[in-house]
Amino acid sequence: MTTRGEAYALTLAFTTFVLFQFFNVFNARNEHGSTFNSHFLANGKLWSALGAVLALQILVVHWPEAQAVFATTHLTAEDWVKAALVASSVLLLDEGRKLAQRRYWRRA
């Protein structure tokens, strides 16, 4: 990773935190069962809101006027992928927890 300064580090951290919340929304949809069920795509309003969040985050990171207001800087596609992979861990880990709980409850 090339050293790009404080603005880069803060932008990457901010984007990762936004994406953490993006993925965490799915954890809140089902406390015990898997998020990835037949109703995963059913809530159009949720998907619209998530699309708006992503669009706004892209604007904040890549639109010069928003960069000036939020003190952000450009991220590369690789940066976005890294942020998404790190942030998706909140969903994957919680899915693992729920799976382990369901297996435990079946045995009990």
Side-chain angles (χ1 to χ4, degrees), residues 3 12 37 57 97:
T3 303
L12 186 56
N37 58 37
Q57 186 63 22
R97 177 196 60 81

Side-chain angles (χ1 to χ4, degrees), residues 11-106:
T11 302
L12 186 56
F14 175 52
T15 299
T16 303
F17 286 127
V18 168
L19 293 176
F20 264 119
Q21 291 308 310
F22 178 94
F23 287 107
N24 199 40
V25 163
F26 299 111
N27 288 333
R29 295 184 75 210
N30 195 329
E31 188 176 343
H32 300 292
S34 176
T35 295
F36 303 106
N37 58 37
S38 61
H39 302 292
F40 184 69
L41 298 173
N43 190 337
K45 290 180 181 178
L46 174 63
W47 286 103
S48 294
L50 290 173
V53 165
L54 279 179
L56 289 170
Q57 186 63 22
I58 290 167
L59 282 174
V60 164
V61 171
H62 294 286
W63 187 39
E65 287 79 0
Q67 288 176 332
V69 171
F70 291 96
T72 59
T73 189
H74 175 80
L75 295 178
T76 66
E78 184 180 343
D79 294 330
W80 280 94
V81 169
K82 287 178 186 176
L85 288 173
V86 169
S88 67
S89 67
V90 72
L91 176 59
L92 299 174
L93 290 171
D94 202 48
E95 283 293 309
R97 177 196 60 81
K98 291 187 282 188
L99 177 63
Q101 280 182 334
R102 287 192 306 272
R103 288 187 177 174
Y104 174 78
W105 289 334
R106 279 188 216 140

